[in-house]
Amino acid sequence: MMRVKHVLLFLIFLPFIGKSQVSTDDIVGVWLTQAKDAKVEVYKKGGKYFGKVIWIKTPNDENGQPVKDTKNPDDAKKNQNILGMDIITDLVFKTEEWSGGKVYDPKNGETYDCKIWLEEGKIHLRGYLGWFYETKTWTKMD
C-alpha cells in the first residue's frame, strides 16, 4: 500500500520535475539584445510590462545627432529619438510567460504581437506577424 502511495505521488509531481518556477517580475531589469547593439530596460507599470531602449551601440547619426526613428510608418513619430523609446508595450504575465503585448522594431518600422518567456536566465522574445514569427534571445545585464 505504501509503495502505491509513493508511485501515485511521483506521478502527480512528475510534470513539475525539472521545471523552474517563473515569477511575474522575473523579466524586470536590463537586457542586452541578441545583436548586442542595444540594451532594453524591462519595467512594470500598472500591472503590465514595457521595455525601453536605454543604450544603443551607435547613438548618433553621421551628423552627430541622436538616431531618430526614421523608419516609423507614422510621420509624426519619425523625428523621435530611438534612445529612450518604449519598444515593448502592454505585456501581461500568464502562466510562465508574458504575452498580449507588442514589440516595435525601429530597424524596419514594424510592430509585432509578441510574447516573452525565460529559459536558463535568458529572455526569448518572439514577434509575430500573422502566422510568421521570429524569436530573439536576450541576455540579462544586471
Side-chain angles (χ1 to χ4, degrees), residues 7-142:
V7 170
L8 286 175
L9 280 174
F10 176 76
L11 291 174
I12 288 170
F13 289 104
L14 183 63
F16 303 104
I17 294 173
K19 283 196 176 195
S20 63
Q21 291 292 77
V22 177
S23 296
T24 58
D25 291 344
D26 284 352
I27 62 167
V28 172
V30 177
W31 300 87
L32 181 65
T33 62
Q34 182 169 314
K36 297 182 176 27
D37 59 357
K39 291 179 185 173
V40 177
E41 180 179 12
V42 176
Y43 64 95
K44 186 176 184 180
K45 182 173 92 176
K48 294 185 177 184
Y49 295 85
F50 299 82
K52 178 184 300 210
V53 178
I54 62 165
W55 174 85
I56 47 179
K57 189 174 188 175
T58 310
N60 297 321
D61 63 18
E62 60 278 354
N63 300 317
Q65 298 300 310
V67 176
K68 304 290 183 189
D69 188 19
T70 58
K71 307 254 183 185
N72 198 310
D74 182 346
D75 288 337
K77 294 182 178 178
K78 289 185 181 209
N79 202 34
Q80 70 182 351
N81 294 338
I82 291 175
L83 195 58
M85 172 190 302
D86 276 339
I87 61 166
I88 298 172
T89 56
D90 297 322
L91 286 174
V92 177
F93 182 76
K94 297 177 188 169
T95 316
E96 298 200 12
E97 73 178 26
W98 295 259
S99 60
K102 303 279 185 188
V103 61
Y104 172 71
D105 185 351
K107 291 179 183 174
N108 63 17
E110 293 288 335
T111 300
Y112 306 94
D113 293 331
C114 79
K115 72 176 182 178
I116 290 176
W117 68 95
L118 281 169
E119 276 181 25
E120 300 174 4
K122 295 183 178 188
I123 274 181
H124 297 279
L125 184 148
R126 180 168 292 169
Y128 293 90
L129 192 59
W131 290 98
F132 301 99
Y133 64 86
E134 186 173 356
T135 304
K136 301 289 185 176
T137 303
W138 294 2
T139 307
K140 188 133 190 191
M141 296 302 300
D142 55 5

